[in-house]
Amino acid sequence: GAVVSQHPSRVICKSGTSVKIECRSLDFQATTMFWYRQFPKQSLMLMATSNEGSKATYEQGVEKDKFLINHASLTLSTLTVTSAHPEDSSFYICSASDGTQPQHFGDGTRLSIL
Amino acid sequence: GENVEQHPSTLSVQEGDSAVIKCTYSDSASNYFPWYKQELGKRPQLIIDIRSNVGEKKDQRIAVTLNKTAKHFSLHITETQPEDSAVYFCAASGRTSGSARQLTFGSGTQLTVLP
């Protein structure tokens, strides 16, 4: 089946650091990738949607200058959390789609900002 | 936009009993409804999905029903086992973004199967 690889799985860093998370589709072309954030005991909240070669579309309330998304190829999307602060600590999960359902999820990245 | 409500938030059942989780959605244009099982710290795992052109789908102990008129869908797990314990999320396809439809998730149900 379709495989999505997400790295790193865990990041612990100091406040003010920028963190990059990669999401790769290994065996299909991901024309669309989605980035979600999940706080403890809460649901997945869509942050942004990226289509290959286009600018990402951000959900209301998500700062595009803080969460930089790049989807330069059909197999790779990156999310960069710039100048991260403790309130950005969360579980970030990507998913990828070739235009059909279902989406395929990565394993997630646990981000902890000290 | 799409709004998905999920109930109950917690559900405890005895091993062997059935569990039912219900969701409602608001966007009549939604046409795809997946259910996910998520264990702590892991990715959501698709367990079953249904499209709007069918009313029911079954896969072994798991079934999903869809009522388009009432805009609600339900997950049914029969003969529950302790390994079914997890958080379950429903979702509905919402707005289209480029080539893929976005998913809106319900708030989740913590299912506990008591041995």
Side-chain angles (χ1 to χ4, degrees):
Chain A
V3 178
V4 174
S5 175
Q6 184 175 342
H7 291 282
S9 58
R10 180 76 194 263
V11 179
I12 302 173
C13 57
K14 294 181 179 180
S15 183
T17 306
S18 291
V19 178
K20 180 184 282 189
I21 302 170
E22 290 189 349
C23 183
R24 294 180 184 271
S25 58
L26 299 186
D27 52 2
F28 67 100
Q29 294 188 325
T31 52
T32 306
M33 287 192 176
F34 303 91
W35 288 94
Y36 297 87
R37 181 168 52 184
Q38 186 177 31
F39 291 109
K41 297 189 177 181
Q42 294 189 22
S43 186
L44 284 79
M45 298 301 295
L46 181 66
M47 298 175 66
T49 302
S50 70
N51 292 299
E52 186 265 338
S54 303
K55 287 185 178 180
T57 302
Y58 290 81
E59 295 300 300
Q60 192 173 9
V62 178
E63 301 173 56
K64 59 182 177 182
D65 293 332
K66 181 167 186 64
F67 299 99
L68 302 179
I69 292 173
N70 182 281
H71 190 171
S73 78
L74 284 171
T75 59
L76 174 65
S77 177
T78 60
L79 166 67
T80 301
V81 183
T82 62
S83 187
H85 292 287
E87 57 266 29
D88 298 322
S89 298
S90 189
F91 190 53
Y92 292 85
I93 311 175
C94 70
S95 73
S97 170
D98 61 359
T100 64
Q101 297 285 10
Q103 301 175 14
H104 304 284
F105 284 87
D107 282 333
T109 297
R110 174 75 56 193
L111 176 61
S112 300
I113 308 298
L114 305 177
Chain B
E2 177 69 281
N3 182 47
V4 177
E5 296 193 356
Q6 182 172 345
H7 300 279
S9 57
T10 60
L11 179 60
S12 292
V13 299
Q14 289 294 138
E15 182 177 358
D17 287 349
S18 296
V20 179
I21 303 171
K22 298 182 179 182
C23 288
T24 60
Y25 63 98
S26 62
D27 188 350
S28 57
S30 290
N31 63 357
Y32 175 70
F33 308 91
W35 285 88
Y36 292 89
K37 175 183 180 182
Q38 188 181 31
E39 297 177 349
L40 191 63
K42 301 284 184 65
R43 75 168 83 182
Q45 177 188 0
L46 179 69
I47 57 172
I48 196 166
D49 57 10
I50 191 168
R51 298 177 193 275
S52 59
N53 58 346
V54 298
E56 185 173 358
K57 183 177 178 181
K58 188 174 182 180
D59 182 4
Q60 299 183 339
R61 296 187 296 110
I62 296 172
V64 57
T65 59
L66 171 65
N67 183 326
K68 286 171 54 181
T69 303
K71 297 203 199 99
H72 66 70
F73 55 114
S74 300
L75 177 71
H76 304 252
I77 306 174
T78 59
E79 301 172 29
T80 54
Q81 302 165 1
E83 50 266 37
D84 294 330
S85 297
V87 179
Y88 290 80
F89 292 99
C90 64
S93 67
R95 292 170 287 132
T96 300
S97 176
S99 60
R101 284 181 170 265
Q102 298 172 346
L103 289 175
T104 300
F105 284 82
S107 54
T109 296
Q110 173 69 63
L111 174 65
T112 303
V113 180
L114 305 169

